[in-house]
Amino acid sequence: MTSTRTPGPFGRTLCAMITPFTASGALDLDGAQRLAAHLVAEGCDGLVLNGTTGESPTTTDEEKARLITAVREAVGDRASLVAGVGTSDTRHTVELALAAGKAGADGVLVVTPYYSRPPQEAVAAHFLEVADASELPVMLYDIPGRTGTRIEPDTMIRLAGHPRIVAVKDCSYDFLGTLKVLERTELAYYAGCDEHVLALYAVGAAGCVSTVANAAPAHIAAVLAAYAAGDTPRAAGLQLAVTPLTEAMMGAGLPGTVTAKALLARLGLPAGPVRAPLLPAGPETADGLLARYEALPAL
């Protein structure tokens, strides 16, 4: 059965890519290019760079721009590049959005301003100012568990009226609120929580932005491809099969950046150390991650 699903503005299977570093902690552009090419070859049609999985709080503005340029050189037009530009400072966010466009990004991911916990009117003003300043399409990032403030459904519906606000990375854990926005807007929703990939896609989402895809890109892509082709049992089976790895990477009390880099290192793929204040996973954790990965079914 051929899929009739309309592709999202940034593709369907997006990986929230880690940022490889050298052993000394410097930006590893060669490693980033090799990892990006691998992810695209394994089924990712979009990459999110400089997100929190990419350790954006500890990379400089120059490093962010250099990473986008290097990855664009590696993947060409085979995948969309969405650049994380969100900060708690609206002016800085605008600066990063403009720089991302110059470096070759196709869109920007903008998270709710964190820590300051602005009211909804201020949240909306922040996103609108970024969308007005940049010529790139905007993906809103709703993750109240990290920022302390969510984008309320009514605010999301209001923001959907801006021509450059086109998508949402959804980590709200509010499925009813998500359904409300899906029903009332044309926003392309992307599951930002790996356990919700199939569930959200089944009710009309465009795809996912997956951290687990750093290590298992083909399996995440296969979940969505199976559902799009009309094979719901296979899609469900694949989603369930990835669940133990998802739990190990995302539900074990460590940031996804830490677990992704530990597993990528075991798989011989570019990763390198994490930057402080993060600490690397221990060998026992890395062993457990590898065991879950090796238990994935063949595709």
Side-chain angles (χ1 to χ4, degrees), residues 47-63:
L47 302 173
V48 175
L49 307 175
N50 299 322
T52 46
T53 301
E55 297 178 77
S56 58
T58 58
T59 57
T60 67
D61 292 2
E62 180 186 4
E63 287 176 324

PDB file of all heavy atoms in Angstrom, residues 47-63:
ATOM      1  N   LEU A  47      17.709  16.435  10.154  1.00  0.00           N
ATOM      2  CA  LEU A  47      18.599  16.458  11.316  1.00  0.00           C
ATOM      3  C   LEU A  47      18.362  17.750  12.080  1.00  0.00           C
ATOM      4  O   LEU A  47      18.282  18.827  11.474  1.00  0.00           O
ATOM      5  CB  LEU A  47      20.060  16.377  10.892  1.00  0.00           C
ATOM      6  CG  LEU A  47      20.480  15.165  10.062  1.00  0.00           C
ATOM      7  CD1 LEU A  47      21.911  15.329   9.570  1.00  0.00           C
ATOM      8  CD2 LEU A  47      20.335  13.876  10.862  1.00  0.00           C
ATOM      9  N   VAL A  48      18.253  17.635  13.387  1.00  0.00           N
ATOM     10  CA  VAL A  48      18.172  18.813  14.245  1.00  0.00           C
ATOM     11  C   VAL A  48      19.542  18.998  14.876  1.00  0.00           C
ATOM     12  O   VAL A  48      20.019  18.130  15.627  1.00  0.00           O
ATOM     13  CB  VAL A  48      17.090  18.666  15.324  1.00  0.00           C
ATOM     14  CG1 VAL A  48      17.126  19.856  16.283  1.00  0.00           C
ATOM     15  CG2 VAL A  48      15.712  18.565  14.671  1.00  0.00           C
ATOM     16  N   LEU A  49      20.183  20.103  14.548  1.00  0.00           N
ATOM     17  CA  LEU A  49      21.513  20.412  15.062  1.00  0.00           C
ATOM     18  C   LEU A  49      21.415  21.490  16.134  1.00  0.00           C
ATOM     19  O   LEU A  49      20.513  22.316  16.122  1.00  0.00           O
ATOM     20  CB  LEU A  49      22.406  20.920  13.929  1.00  0.00           C
ATOM     21  CG  LEU A  49      22.505  20.034  12.685  1.00  0.00           C
ATOM     22  CD1 LEU A  49      23.326  20.741  11.608  1.00  0.00           C
ATOM     23  CD2 LEU A  49      23.107  18.681  13.014  1.00  0.00           C
ATOM     24  N   ASN A  50      22.365  21.459  17.051  1.00  0.00           N
ATOM     25  CA  ASN A  50      22.444  22.488  18.091  1.00  0.00           C
ATOM     26  C   ASN A  50      21.214  22.530  18.991  1.00  0.00           C
ATOM     27  O   ASN A  50      20.864  23.578  19.531  1.00  0.00           O
ATOM     28  CB  ASN A  50      22.672  23.880  17.466  1.00  0.00           C
ATOM     29  CG  ASN A  50      23.956  23.977  16.693  1.00  0.00           C
ATOM     30  OD1 ASN A  50      24.973  23.415  17.094  1.00  0.00           O
ATOM     31  ND2 ASN A  50      23.928  24.680  15.562  1.00  0.00           N
ATOM     32  N   GLY A  51      20.566  21.382  19.160  1.00  0.00           N
ATOM     33  CA  GLY A  51      19.536  21.283  20.181  1.00  0.00           C
ATOM     34  C   GLY A  51      20.193  20.950  21.511  1.00  0.00           C
ATOM     35  O   GLY A  51      21.418  20.881  21.626  1.00  0.00           O
ATOM     36  N   THR A  52      19.381  20.730  22.519  1.00  0.00           N
ATOM     37  CA  THR A  52      19.972  20.378  23.809  1.00  0.00           C
ATOM     38  C   THR A  52      20.640  19.008  23.754  1.00  0.00           C
ATOM     39  O   THR A  52      21.638  18.778  24.451  1.00  0.00           O
ATOM     40  CB  THR A  52      18.927  20.426  24.929  1.00  0.00           C
ATOM     41  OG1 THR A  52      17.740  19.749  24.496  1.00  0.00           O
ATOM     42  CG2 THR A  52      18.579  21.855  25.279  1.00  0.00           C
ATOM     43  N   THR A  53      20.136  18.090  22.911  1.00  0.00           N
ATOM     44  CA  THR A  53      20.848  16.825  22.707  1.00  0.00           C
ATOM     45  C   THR A  53      22.205  17.086  22.078  1.00  0.00           C
ATOM     46  O   THR A  53      23.153  16.326  22.286  1.00  0.00           O
ATOM     47  CB  THR A  53      20.019  15.881  21.830  1.00  0.00           C
ATOM     48  OG1 THR A  53      18.748  15.642  22.466  1.00  0.00           O
ATOM     49  CG2 THR A  53      20.712  14.542  21.638  1.00  0.00           C
ATOM     50  N   GLY A  54      22.316  18.167  21.335  1.00  0.00           N
ATOM     51  CA  GLY A  54      23.597  18.581  20.753  1.00  0.00           C
ATOM     52  C   GLY A  54      24.404  19.479  21.664  1.00  0.00           C
ATOM     53  O   GLY A  54      25.366  20.112  21.214  1.00  0.00           O
ATOM     54  N   GLU A  55      24.021  19.530  22.941  1.00  0.00           N
ATOM     55  CA  GLU A  55      24.755  20.274  23.971  1.00  0.00           C
ATOM     56  C   GLU A  55      24.851  21.770  23.666  1.00  0.00           C
ATOM     57  O   GLU A  55      25.873  22.420  23.927  1.00  0.00           O
ATOM     58  CB  GLU A  55      26.142  19.657  24.204  1.00  0.00           C
ATOM     59  CG  GLU A  55      26.048  18.221  24.725  1.00  0.00           C
ATOM     60  CD  GLU A  55      27.389  17.552  24.933  1.00  0.00           C
ATOM     61  OE1 GLU A  55      28.059  17.858  25.941  1.00  0.00           O
ATOM     62  OE2 GLU A  55      27.760  16.728  24.070  1.00  0.00           O
ATOM     63  N   SER A  56      23.778  22.326  23.153  1.00  0.00           N
ATOM     64  CA  SER A  56      23.774  23.746  22.795  1.00  0.00           C
ATOM     65  C   SER A  56      24.100  24.690  23.949  1.00  0.00           C
ATOM     66  O   SER A  56      24.696  25.754  23.708  1.00  0.00           O
ATOM     67  CB  SER A  56      22.422  24.134  22.190  1.00  0.00           C
ATOM     68  OG  SER A  56      21.360  23.862  23.082  1.00  0.00           O
ATOM     69  N   PRO A  57      23.763  24.346  25.215  1.00  0.00           N
ATOM     70  CA  PRO A  57      24.138  25.273  26.285  1.00  0.00           C
ATOM     71  C   PRO A  57      25.642  25.451  26.458  1.00  0.00           C
ATOM     72  O   PRO A  57      26.082  26.428  27.077  1.00  0.00           O
ATOM     73  CB  PRO A  57      23.509  24.642  27.539  1.00  0.00           C
ATOM     74  CG  PRO A  57      22.364  23.839  27.022  1.00  0.00           C
ATOM     75  CD  PRO A  57      22.873  23.279  25.730  1.00  0.00           C
ATOM     76  N   THR A  58      26.436  24.517  25.928  1.00  0.00           N
ATOM     77  CA  THR A  58      27.881  24.585  26.145  1.00  0.00           C
ATOM     78  C   THR A  58      28.675  24.743  24.849  1.00  0.00           C
ATOM     79  O   THR A  58      29.900  24.620  24.864  1.00  0.00           O
ATOM     80  CB  THR A  58      28.377  23.338  26.898  1.00  0.00           C
ATOM     81  OG1 THR A  58      28.039  22.162  26.152  1.00  0.00           O
ATOM     82  CG2 THR A  58      27.755  23.255  28.277  1.00  0.00           C
ATOM     83  N   THR A  59      28.001  25.004  23.737  1.00  0.00           N
ATOM     84  CA  THR A  59      28.723  25.307  22.497  1.00  0.00           C
ATOM     85  C   THR A  59      28.591  26.798  22.207  1.00  0.00           C
ATOM     86  O   THR A  59      27.569  27.420  22.511  1.00  0.00           O
ATOM     87  CB  THR A  59      28.176  24.499  21.305  1.00  0.00           C
ATOM     88  OG1 THR A  59      26.772  24.757  21.135  1.00  0.00           O
ATOM     89  CG2 THR A  59      28.405  23.015  21.503  1.00  0.00           C
ATOM     90  N   THR A  60      29.621  27.351  21.622  1.00  0.00           N
ATOM     91  CA  THR A  60      29.628  28.783  21.329  1.00  0.00           C
ATOM     92  C   THR A  60      28.802  29.070  20.076  1.00  0.00           C
ATOM     93  O   THR A  60      28.499  28.169  19.278  1.00  0.00           O
ATOM     94  CB  THR A  60      31.058  29.284  21.097  1.00  0.00           C
ATOM     95  OG1 THR A  60      31.574  28.694  19.889  1.00  0.00           O
ATOM     96  CG2 THR A  60      31.962  28.929  22.271  1.00  0.00           C
ATOM     97  N   ASP A  61      28.481  30.343  19.879  1.00  0.00           N
ATOM     98  CA  ASP A  61      27.753  30.731  18.675  1.00  0.00           C
ATOM     99  C   ASP A  61      28.554  30.378  17.425  1.00  0.00           C
ATOM    100  O   ASP A  61      27.996  29.917  16.416  1.00  0.00           O
ATOM    101  CB  ASP A  61      27.465  32.233  18.689  1.00  0.00           C
ATOM    102  CG  ASP A  61      26.471  32.635  19.768  1.00  0.00           C
ATOM    103  OD1 ASP A  61      26.030  31.755  20.536  1.00  0.00           O
ATOM    104  OD2 ASP A  61      26.140  33.831  19.843  1.00  0.00           O
ATOM    105  N   GLU A  62      29.860  30.568  17.472  1.00  0.00           N
ATOM    106  CA  GLU A  62      30.707  30.230  16.324  1.00  0.00           C
ATOM    107  C   GLU A  62      30.681  28.732  16.056  1.00  0.00           C
ATOM    108  O   GLU A  62      30.597  28.299  14.898  1.00  0.00           O
ATOM    109  CB  GLU A  62      32.141  30.691  16.569  1.00  0.00           C
ATOM    110  CG  GLU A  62      33.076  30.378  15.405  1.00  0.00           C
ATOM    111  CD  GLU A  62      34.526  30.702  15.705  1.00  0.00           C
ATOM    112  OE1 GLU A  62      34.839  31.112  16.844  1.00  0.00           O
ATOM    113  OE2 GLU A  62      35.353  30.549  14.795  1.00  0.00           O
ATOM    114  N   GLU A  63      30.766  27.925  17.113  1.00  0.00           N
ATOM    115  CA  GLU A  63      30.720  26.472  16.933  1.00  0.00           C
ATOM    116  C   GLU A  63      29.387  26.040  16.328  1.00  0.00           C
ATOM    117  O   GLU A  63      29.344  25.144  15.474  1.00  0.00           O
ATOM    118  CB  GLU A  63      30.948  25.772  18.269  1.00  0.00           C
ATOM    119  CG  GLU A  63      32.381  25.833  18.764  1.00  0.00           C
ATOM    120  CD  GLU A  63      32.550  25.214  20.139  1.00  0.00           C
ATOM    121  OE1 GLU A  63      31.622  25.357  20.990  1.00  0.00           O
ATOM    122  OE2 GLU A  63      33.603  24.605  20.383  1.00  0.00           O
TER     123      GLU A  63
END
